[in-house]
Amino acid sequence: MSDHSAGKTWSRSRRLDPADFIKTNMRLAPVPSVPEVQLYQAHPGSGLRRLLEPDDDSDGIEAEPQPPYWAYAWAGGAVLARYILDRPSIVAGKRVLDLGAGSGLVGIAAAKAGARMVISAEIDRNGVVALRLNAEANGVAIQIREEDVTAGPPPAADLVLAGDVFYAQDVGQRMAPFLDRCLAAGIDVLVGDPGRAWLPRSRLCLLGEYHVPDVGGNGGSEPRPSAVFAFVPIKGG
Ligand SMILES: C[S@@+](CC[C@H](N)C(=O)[O-])C[C@H]1O[C@@H](n2cnc3c(N)ncnc32)[C@H](O)[C@@H]1O
């Protein structure tokens, strides 16, 4: 069946194996500003749309699929990865959750910096395949949770790393209460972000700043300021 006879260009994706697709159509290369980590990254010829699957909404109607966030290193993840690799004692010997892992960049950096255990949580099934391939390519072991962990209890972790998870209002509204529950459970939380619209600024304490390219945010290859923050309890709360 051709793309056109299927009616929608992305219907063909049901026959594609995501691991084969990623290895064939994406480029394994060091991340700009985090060259210690290699990722399968999209390029203009990747044709990623072929891999995307429609989501079924609550009425069973096919909706446009989620963009392939996992195919890029986002500025929030890049700044967090850079920060950790420059200060490995932050993660060394700890159990770390990489929340909204995408490509796996932050969790891979944590593993390289000496984390005892890394759990990467990602809801996109192609993203899960990509982060597994990326972990293998970097020679690190990562546990993957393919689910919305924000709906559940705090993880069995010492530290949560949240790279670029405030890019949309609905996502941010799920993340902040979950991060609050993590704090209440005694888990430290670090956020990496280039200043997205839904960043909960009043809850953040600046720890460091770097200039990194914002490839995922369509900011191009030009480095721009991005920051690492501690997520802190509500004042007086
Ligand atoms: C902007 S991308 C950032 C990816 C990566 N951290 C980085 O900085 O390159 C955000 C990712 O969070 C994932 N995500 C969104 N909501 C999530 C949830 N509730 N649980 C796990 N992952 C989620 C998305 O699928 C997406 O891959």
Side-chain angles (χ1 to χ4, degrees):
M1 194 192 312
S2 74
D3 283 354
H4 293 293
S5 64
K8 291 195 169 92
T9 51
W10 29 264
S11 295
R12 197 172 65 148
S13 64
R14 292 194 172 103
R15 296 207 304 267
L16 293 176
D17 176 74
D20 286 346
F21 182 93
I22 289 167
K23 285 192 270 191
T24 305
N25 296 290
M26 295 174 69
R27 198 174 286 138
L28 183 63
V31 175
S33 79
V34 196
E36 298 93 329
V37 177
Q38 296 191 90
L39 297 177
Y40 283 97
Q41 296 169 60
H43 56 79
S46 290
L48 276 181
R49 196 167 170 78
R50 290 175 289 154
L51 190 58
L52 305 185
E53 295 183 37
D55 297 323
D56 284 345
D57 68 15
S58 54
D59 300 324
I61 298 168
E62 289 184 345
E64 281 290 322
Q66 172 172 288
Y69 296 120
W70 49 269
Y72 307 92
W74 289 65
V79 71
L80 202 43
R82 184 68 271 145
Y83 188 77
I84 290 163
L85 286 162
D86 288 349
R87 299 166 184 77
S89 62
I90 291 172
V91 296
K94 294 187 180 163
R95 300 166 302 164
V96 171
L97 173 73
D98 177 9
L99 176 62
S103 65
L105 170 60
V106 176
I108 291 167
K112 281 185 174 274
R116 172 155 58 97
M117 184 189 82
V118 176
I119 304 167
S120 294
E122 174 54 55
I123 51 174
D124 185 313
R125 77 185 87 162
N126 290 324
V128 165
V129 174
L131 76 87
R132 186 173 288 125
L133 290 175
N134 286 329
E136 281 171 17
N138 287 276
V140 298
I142 283 181
Q143 296 178 29
I144 297 173
R145 284 184 63 180
E146 185 181 350
E147 63 184 305
D148 179 5
V149 290
T150 65
D158 306 302
L159 177 65
V160 172
L161 300 173
D164 227 315
V165 295
F166 294 101
Y167 57 97
Q169 184 175 23
D170 59 332
V171 180
Q173 282 173 343
R174 296 189 71 80
M175 295 293 171
F178 174 71
L179 297 180
D180 266 329
R181 294 202 298 282
C182 291
L183 287 184
I187 303 168
D188 292 328
V189 177
L190 296 184
V191 170
D193 203 279
R196 306 260 181 241
W198 305 106
L199 189 65
R201 292 171 190 279
S202 64
R203 306 296 310 281
L204 302 175
C205 173
L206 180 66
L207 297 178
E209 204 173 19
Y210 290 88
H211 282 65
V212 295
D214 186 19
V215 179
N218 293 325
S221 56
E222 208 49 45
R224 53 182 286 209
S226 293
V228 173
F229 306 92
F231 186 80
V232 295
I234 298 170
K235 286 194 186 82

